[in-house]
Amino acid sequence: MRSLAVVLLATAFGVRVGRCTTTLTVDPAVVLNTVERGVYGHFLEHIYHSCHGGLWGEILLNRSFEEAGQGEWSVEGDVIRQSSNEPDQRLVFGDPGWTDVEFSFEARKLGGREGFLAIVRAAGPDQFYWANLGGWGNVRHQFEKCAPTAGRQAPVGEATLGSIDTGRWYRVRVRVEGGRLQAWLDDQPILEWLDPSPISAGCVGIGTWETRAEFRNLRVTTPEGQPLWEGLPPIPLLSARHWGAFGESCQVASVSGESANGRRHVRVRGEGPAAAGGVRQSNLCVRAGDVLRGSLWLSGRLPSGLCVRLVDGEGLLGETALAPTNSDEWIELPIALTPARGARNAAVELLVRGPADVRLDQVVLMPDSARATGGFRPDLLGALAELRPPLIRWPGGAYAEHYRWRHGVGPQIQRRPNARPLWDDLDVNAFGTDEFLALCRRLGAEPVLVINTGRHDPATPRATYLQEALEWIEYCNGPADSPMGRERARNGHPEPYRVRMWEIDNEAWIINDVETYIQIVREFAPALRKACPEGLLIACGGSGLSTERHGRWDPRLIEACAELVDAISIHHYEHPDRFARGPAEAERWFADLRELIRRSKNPRLKVFVSEWNAQSTDWRTGLYAAGLLNAMERCGDVVTMASPALLLRHVSARAWDNALINFDSCGWFPAPNWVVMRLWREHAARERLAISVDGPSVDAVAVRREDGKIVVKLVNPAAEPQDISVRLRSGPVEKGRLVLIAPGHLRARNTLEQPNAVAPCDAAVEIREGAARFQMPALSAGVLLFDGQ
């Protein structure tokens, strides 16, 4: 730890002219409530490459080429087709210098959730306009603008209600002149907006969002009608995100069907003896001597074999040759690459030479350093271990709402990616139930598994999802001679995991009314209780800071289901500017829930704050975290578990910048909420003691550890420093240790380059007249530790 002594010793302690001292008096004889260690839990969700490309140690993304990138485009006659159901599928073409244009085409929806995207002035992947027709679940049309500073597209101008029907052709036209955008659907004007800061020029494009569609008669003109483009645009043969094609006299294409894993693979055809090419993935971090081991699956004609190379800008780092093959059957070939030196931006290349026609699928590489930790990336595992999580909620979040647990168990070649991409990530399920439970055991954390009840799949009977949940419980807890227990044993885990905590879906209030969710709980809870008699069942509570939100969700849920479950799971994401007021309002919300529970059929019902955070990675989030942790400790009689989100986030993510652990392929940095949680968790204790405050207020909680030491956890969210005096009602304070986090301004943050800009510091404390006296800097948080009586 660094030291703040130089700063604090430059000033005197005690009463100052013009400023009062706040006196805190701790009474060790009065225990107000117990604090469960579960309030220091965490939440791991498969988004923004938290697992795939993050915590799980495989270094290659999109290992089976399932994630299409910018779409699965094909041409049939005069029609261009997009066949992927993934979001944000774009085909951009034309002249980047185009300014004022009119872009028209015909489009037909083949299936999916939404409609079409008509793109203009695409100056780059993060700078464009589009007319989103049939967007937001196929309920409205609206322009959206994406600017580099925003990170993602956002609605602009007025929306028009409307939907896109499946199977019929629509005429679409978009015009941009200066800052004025207009759109027509079947020649009827539907949208108009004037941008005061317009994008100046760019290409045009077509696209879809979770929809398959066809397009024809594409035409670009000036507003006066002068032709600029007519016909079908060129389409990429390789459509596999994170992968690129390279080489001479080779054709590299994405292919659907007859794959070793999933539904897509890559086909490489070399023409002539001089052919040399294949696929590569860049932005990889390797370390000298840290061997990359794994395998790939291939089939086809490969007379000269295949070379797997590791390269960077300086040249070859390592390579291995795979034997020639001539088989229509898929075979797995092992790979081992030893980096000759470290590199922060290496690439793996799969190189085909000479005449060949080969199919490639599921390419896996993991460094030995990750294999040594059970498959986890060592630095990210260490960052998580430092938080000492007592519990981990998994696999989501929104991810859990679509999760099918059977896709993430068994041999890796049999696993399937998640049903849909979520937040910049199509997770491949390399990290599944067995890997998660191994992580929990390694960290000493208790697992909380979130069940998919089928709310997003109305075509499938709910009973199917209930049976799937019961089988998941048996897989985790059943004896080795039960049907699911035998499967678990075949996967290398004969002993039951004894998972105790199960949550019945996530954020049901988003798409369901409370009565529908109550029926789900009534169907699921008794069956889950029978399957796991000693378990702890959790139902979805509401979100926000009020029991009035979402149609009075919490009061009705507690009234109808309190006796069926053991806890309710609530969510709250705070604006970071409310770092001072937010915790107090959350505490009032907890008090409202306490009263509802007290009057319910199950007064022992508890609250699980299963997602919480302030939405930033600067010091505002740290202050909020400190205040909310104090609030939850004060409400320890009702709030017994909690887990902030996000836990891990790749720095390439374009939204949700609130993660505790932020990383790229080579390193990581802690956000201020991680810094606070580690310090508060280090000084967690079960007994909360009475504490009185006399003078200008600070947020203070006093707890007594098992070794008898008393800890006062303090937050000063004010813009002025405060002089503090801490006394014991039972006798004089004899010595104390003060640790503060005081970066000096709200926008202070850690980065990959400066990971310790916000860090705890030993600070000066004076013992005088039986009290611990010190200054609490402005906008600071910290702990005072001393021996109790």
Side-chain angles (χ1 to χ4, degrees), residues 179-434:
R180 185 185 184 203
L181 285 91
Q182 298 171 276
W184 293 260
L185 189 63
D186 285 339
D187 301 319
Q188 298 298 312
I190 56 170
L191 299 173
E192 185 167 356
W193 179 60
L194 184 64
D195 187 353
S197 302
I199 301 169
S200 59
C203 301
V204 300
I206 50 178
T208 60
W209 193 284
E210 297 183 5
T211 302
R212 305 183 310 282
E214 293 179 329
F215 304 85
R216 68 186 183 190
N217 296 332
L218 285 78
R219 190 165 186 259
V220 184
T221 71
T222 67
E224 296 76 28
Q226 179 181 350
L228 298 173
W229 181 289
E230 191 160 2
L232 299 180
I235 63 170
L237 294 177
L238 177 65
S239 178
R241 190 180 180 201
H242 306 294
W243 293 93
F246 71 97
E248 300 286 338
S249 302
C250 278
Q251 185 181 72
V252 181
S254 301
V255 180
S256 296
E258 298 181 357
S259 301
N261 177 262
R263 64 185 187 88
R264 304 177 81 232
H265 60 273
V266 165
R267 185 178 184 184
V268 182
R269 286 182 284 184
E271 301 174 3
V279 293
R280 68 153 60 97
Q281 186 169 139
S282 303
N283 301 316
L284 307 176
C285 184
V286 298
R287 292 169 174 82
D290 194 0
V291 182
L292 303 174
R293 303 182 198 273
S295 66
L296 63 78
W297 290 73
L298 59 77
S299 70
R301 185 172 58 89
L302 195 62
S304 299
L306 183 136
C307 182
V308 182
R309 304 193 305 192
L310 186 64
V311 301
D312 71 354
E314 298 180 17
L316 186 67
L317 294 166
E319 65 179 335
T320 186
L322 305 186
T325 62
N326 186 15
S327 172
D328 290 333
E329 299 296 322
W330 285 100
I331 59 174
E332 182 182 19
L333 297 178
I335 305 171
L337 291 168
T338 304
R341 63 181 185 278
R344 296 185 62 86
N345 189 13
V348 166
E349 296 181 342
L350 310 181
L351 173 65
V352 173
R353 289 192 176 97
D357 188 352
V358 64
R359 298 183 295 166
L360 306 173
D361 206 352
Q362 189 155 288
V363 189
V364 174
L365 285 172
M366 180 183 287
D368 280 354
S369 58
R371 292 183 187 278
T373 64
F376 305 106
R377 184 172 138 177
D379 60 337
L380 299 184
L381 178 64
L384 181 52
E386 284 195 61
L387 293 171
R388 296 164 55 204
L391 62 86
I392 304 177
R393 178 178 183 248
W394 178 85
Y399 185 88
E401 296 173 24
H402 304 271
Y403 185 65
R404 311 304 290 268
W405 71 268
R406 298 298 296 272
H407 293 172
V409 297
Q412 292 287 341
I413 190 60
Q414 296 176 8
R415 299 193 186 189
R416 299 294 182 264
N418 191 39
R420 55 179 289 192
L422 284 171
W423 289 288
D424 199 40
D425 192 351
L426 179 62
D427 191 277
V428 298
N429 280 325
F431 181 92
T433 299
D434 295 302

